[in-house]
Amino acid sequence: DGGITQSPKYLFRKEGQNVTLSCEQNLNHDAMYWYRQDPGQGLRLIYYSQIVNDFQKGDIAEGYSVSREKKESFPLTVTSAQKNPTAFYLCASSKTTSGNTGELFFGEGSRLTVL
Amino acid sequence: AQSVTQPDIHITVSEGASLELRCNYSYGATPYLFWYVQSPGQGLQLLLKYFSGDTLVQGIKGFEAEFKRSQSSFNLRKPSVHWSDAAEYFCAVVLDDKIIFGKGTRLHILP
C-alpha cells in the first residue's frame, strides 16, 4: 500500500546533538512538508518542498534543515541551534505542485525528546 | 492576517449524542476548507473537504460539514458519535497556496 513512512517513531537526544528524522513516501507525490506539533498549538510548518532539489522555509524554520535529493525522501535535521526541539514532528505530502489543494497525506509522526 | 479559529479546545459528548465542532476563518475570499482527524500519537487523516458547489459536504466515518459564507464558518457535524470518534480534530484552509491549520479541538466521549 502507498503511504508515508516516518522513522524513528520515538527518539531521545542530548542537548547539543543534531538529529535527523526520516520521511519516505511511495505515493509519487511532488510536494512534501514538515510540521511541528506542540500541545494546544496546532501544526506549524517548518519546511516544504514542491520539487526535487528545491525547498522553502515555513513559519518556524530556524534551527532546522532539510534536503530533497530524491522525490520520495525529505529528511529533517533538528540542529543544536533549535532552542526547544522537544515536540511531535509530522511529515506530509501532496500530489500537486501547481496550486496547493490542501489534501495532505500524513505519516504517523516522530516524537523527539531532548534530555 | 489570515487565521483559522476553533473556539473549543475540548468538547465532551456522550456516546450516541450528536456532535458539532466549530471552525471559523478570517479572509475575504472563499478558501478551500478541510477537516482532519488525529488519533493519539498518530498522523492526521483527511475527513472531508470543500472546494466549491454544494455547501453541505459528506466525509468519511459518517461526518459532514456545512460551509456558511455569511458566517465564514465550516462546522463539522455527526448525528451520533461512537467511542472510536475520540480524537483531535483540526480545521484547515488553503488560501494563496498556503495551508493554515486551526489549533484543534479534542473530542472526549462519555460511555
Side-chain angles (χ1 to χ4, degrees):
Chain A
D1 285 338
I4 298 181
T5 301
Q6 290 187 240
S7 62
K9 192 167 179 65
Y10 299 96
L11 185 60
F12 298 87
R13 78 152 213 219
K14 295 180 180 179
E15 279 191 22
Q17 290 180 334
N18 291 355
V19 62
T20 298
L21 308 180
S22 170
C23 178
E24 303 277 333
Q25 55 101 354
N26 60 4
L27 300 166
N28 199 32
H29 284 176
D30 291 307
M32 297 186 74
Y33 309 80
W34 274 105
Y35 288 92
R36 171 179 171 140
Q37 187 177 22
D38 298 282
Q41 295 297 313
L43 277 70
R44 292 183 289 170
L45 182 64
I46 304 172
Y47 269 98
Y48 64 102
S49 168
Q50 294 183 307
I51 197 168
V52 174
N53 291 324
D54 189 41
F55 48 82
Q56 287 77 43
K57 293 182 178 180
D59 300 318
I60 56 165
E62 185 176 351
Y64 300 97
S65 66
V66 293
S67 63
R68 187 86 186 276
E69 297 177 2
K70 299 186 299 182
K71 186 175 185 177
E72 313 81 63
S73 179
F74 191 42
L76 173 74
T77 296
V78 185
T79 75
S80 56
Q82 168 50 233
K83 290 183 171 49
N84 186 19
T86 294
F88 190 56
Y89 291 89
L90 285 162
C91 180
S93 70
S94 65
K95 188 174 182 181
T96 63
T97 55
S98 56
N100 191 341
T101 68
E103 295 187 63
L104 300 178
F105 292 77
F106 284 85
E108 293 196 344
S110 293
R111 185 167 297 281
L112 172 62
T113 302
V114 175
L115 305 173
Chain B
Q2 304 160 21
S3 66
V4 179
T5 303
Q6 295 181 245
D8 304 303
I9 299 174
H10 295 271
I11 281 190
T12 301
V13 298
S14 298
E15 190 169 17
S18 64
L19 171 70
E20 183 169 30
L21 302 181
R22 297 181 289 165
C23 173
N24 294 93
Y25 65 91
S26 63
Y27 200 77
T30 298
Y32 294 161
L33 296 156
F34 304 82
W35 277 98
Y36 285 86
V37 60
Q38 184 182 31
S39 297
Q42 301 292 314
L44 279 69
Q45 181 184 21
L46 180 66
L47 277 177
L48 47 77
K49 61 192 178 192
Y50 173 77
F51 288 173
S52 64
D54 192 346
T55 56
L56 184 64
V57 293
Q58 303 297 320
I60 62 171
K61 305 185 181 190
F63 286 91
E64 66 178 27
E66 185 172 13
F67 168 60
K68 292 186 177 180
R69 186 189 308 274
S70 61
Q71 299 176 18
S72 297
S73 69
F74 189 55
N75 294 350
L76 182 71
R77 301 195 294 244
K78 187 170 185 178
S80 176
V81 298
H82 186 262
W83 64 267
S84 59
D85 293 325
E88 190 156 21
Y89 292 80
F90 293 91
C91 181
V93 304
V94 171
L95 205 55
D96 297 338
D97 277 358
K98 190 172 181 181
I99 305 170
I100 303 170
F101 285 89
K103 293 190 175 182
T105 298
R106 184 167 294 279
L107 175 64
H108 306 270
I109 307 293
L110 295 175

